[in-house]
Amino acid sequence: MKDLKFTRHRRLRHSANMRALVRETYLHKEDLIYPIFVVEGENKRNPVQSMPGVDQISLDLVEEEMKELVELGIKSVIVFGIPAEKDEVGSGAYHDHGIVQEATRKIKESYPELIVIADTCLCEYTSHGHCGVIQGESVLNDPSLELLARTAVSQAKAGADIIAPSNMMDGFVAAIRHGLDEAGFEHIPIMSYAVKYASAFYGPFRDAAESAPQFGDRKTYQMDPANRLEALREAESDVAEGADFLIVKPAMSYMDIMRDVKNHFNLPLVAYNVSGEYAMVKAAAANGWIDEKGIVLELLTGMKRAGVDLIITYHAKDVARWLSEQQ
Ligand code: PBG
């Protein structure tokens, strides 16, 4: 065997410190964005059945929730609201005292430095559960844009640091950018759900946000999971319209798309590790079938390796804890 020529890859794996020396990808607490679901009322913590560890919380409990996050070292949250009442045109979304607007004010009062990202969509607020206004069974594009821009402006007025439109109407970044600029919020960035697939992985979220469509599905506005080039077209138009961040969603089955988007555009890139992905991990972990910490850290590291800078994840609290233990 003396003259055998081969490469000794294992030289760099000998010890923990040697492995640390050559590690290419790191997860940081700064990468984490934690989603919260806020409901009207008082003293409510409604566990979401399909998302163990995630609760809908009432406005008065938002402050204590933020305290926990800040103590864990989490620096940004994305806020979803569940209004007491819904209507055909989702008026709760753009009401100056809507649930996301009120939650945003509360957070900024107690934790002004925490980054508040407002989810800008109509589906939690419409009686039919679609992300835009409807006529018969079709979701109308252009009439929805005006309502989305109004929603974004009212969220910015309430103190949101970033606007995150998730509705997938064409032109939503342009409409929101225009609305924000006209209202004097030219300094507020847009984190666009640029590449959002019509995915079965959103099921548990729709329980949490009470936003399931009451008829049909979202396939006429969200993307077909089979498409890759279309993701680049979606990202390209959002960049042209003025997006400041790009989101790819879901995460686990779309790591190729993250890499494609990263290679083509140089905006900060975000993965949304969605509810169904979280539910699968939690269910398997609850059964003792997997090592939850190992699986979650590997999944999130995989997303960063695929090219994302930030990760929206329901695992954020646990991950922040695990990262502190490692230090
Ligand atoms: C609203 C919205 C959805 C998610 C985020 N914003 C659901 C949907 O499009 O039906 C899903 C997030 C998750 O599953 O964690 N448009």
Side-chain angles (χ1 to χ4, degrees):
M1 301 299 267
K2 217 171 113 242
D3 296 327
L4 214 55
K5 276 220 152 245
F6 57 91
T7 310
R8 294 202 178 271
H9 300 288
R10 293 181 58 192
R11 279 183 198 132
L12 303 184
R13 295 178 199 143
H14 272 311
S15 64
N17 280 352
M18 184 66 89
R19 291 191 292 275
L21 207 57
V22 298
R23 186 158 301 134
E24 299 174 31
T25 311
Y26 281 90
L27 259 181
H28 307 284
K29 287 183 190 175
E30 286 74 12
D31 305 333
L32 304 169
I33 301 171
Y34 186 66
I36 60 165
F37 298 97
V38 186
V39 289
E40 310 265 6
E42 275 179 29
N43 205 22
K44 282 197 211 150
R45 243 183 205 283
N46 309 326
V48 180
Q49 292 309 327
S50 47
M51 301 174 72
V54 174
D55 301 327
Q56 294 179 332
I57 52 173
S58 53
L59 272 173
D60 57 325
L61 300 184
V62 165
E63 188 179 340
E64 72 175 42
E65 181 77 9
M66 294 306 111
K67 182 166 185 283
E68 184 188 354
L69 296 177
V70 168
E71 283 171 4
L72 286 167
I74 293 171
K75 297 181 171 62
S76 44
V77 289
I78 181 162
V79 182
F80 296 96
I82 299 105
E85 280 162 36
K86 303 179 190 251
D87 61 27
E88 277 278 297
V89 291
S91 359
Y94 37 91
H95 195 291
D96 279 339
H97 295 285
I99 184 81
V100 166
Q101 289 81 353
E102 290 301 313
T104 300
R105 280 190 195 95
K106 272 227 168 341
I107 298 172
K108 294 309 266 185
E109 256 167 43
S110 342
Y111 296 99
E113 72 291 351
L114 202 65
I115 298 290
V116 175
I117 305 171
D119 181 79
T120 306
C121 198
L122 300 182
C123 63
E124 293 97 343
Y125 306 89
T126 50
S127 42
H128 44 77
H130 280 288
C131 304
V133 288
I134 57 167
Q135 189 169 54
E137 301 236 320
S138 23
V139 179
L140 303 178
N141 197 86
D142 300 14
S144 303
L145 294 179
E146 192 194 325
L147 302 183
L148 293 165
R150 272 171 70 182
T151 305
V153 170
S154 74
Q155 292 169 335
K157 263 199 230 158
D161 298 287
I162 300 178
I163 299 301
S166 63
N167 52 86
M168 290 299 279
M169 295 299 117
D170 290 326
F172 70 124
V173 175
I176 288 173
R177 187 68 273 158
H178 179 76
L180 289 173
D181 291 353
E182 268 202 327
F185 293 109
E186 61 287 327
H187 56 288
I188 298 293
I190 298 176
M191 182 183 279
S192 172
Y193 288 70
V195 182
K196 179 172 177 181
Y197 289 91
S199 170
F201 283 97
Y202 306 150
F205 173 94
R206 293 178 189 168
D207 298 338
E210 301 174 17
S211 65
Q214 298 303 300
F215 63 86
D217 53 39
R218 304 208 200 288
K219 289 181 184 164
T220 66
Y221 42 108
Q222 298 179 349
M223 290 171 55
D224 181 340
N227 293 352
R228 179 178 174 200
L229 297 177
E230 190 186 2
L232 296 177
R233 298 201 293 274
E234 277 283 358
E236 192 174 16
S237 61
D238 282 11
V239 172
E241 291 173 29
D244 301 280
F245 299 78
L246 299 173
I247 303 179
V248 172
K249 176 182 178 191
M252 281 158 55
S253 318
Y254 298 88
M255 291 205 196
D256 55 331
I257 306 296
M258 294 174 198
R259 174 47 59 192
D260 281 344
V261 174
K262 183 67 172 184
N263 288 348
H264 281 85
F265 304 96
N266 40 30
L267 291 180
L269 184 62
V270 187
Y272 198 140
N273 173 211
V274 300
S275 58
E277 299 170 337
Y278 175 82
M280 293 195 309
V281 170
K282 294 303 267 189
N287 274 296
W289 294 339
I290 56 168
D291 161 17
E292 183 174 355
K293 176 179 169 184
I295 294 271
V296 171
L297 292 177
E298 188 173 330
L299 280 169
L300 269 52
T301 301
M303 292 167 203
K304 290 214 62 190
R305 197 193 59 236
V308 304
D309 302 289
L310 305 169
I311 306 172
I312 303 172
T313 179
Y314 306 98
H315 296 291
K317 287 183 189 175
D318 289 331
V319 172
R321 258 181 232 116
W322 295 327
L323 292 176
S324 301
E325 285 165 14
Q326 282 174 2
Q327 276 160 9

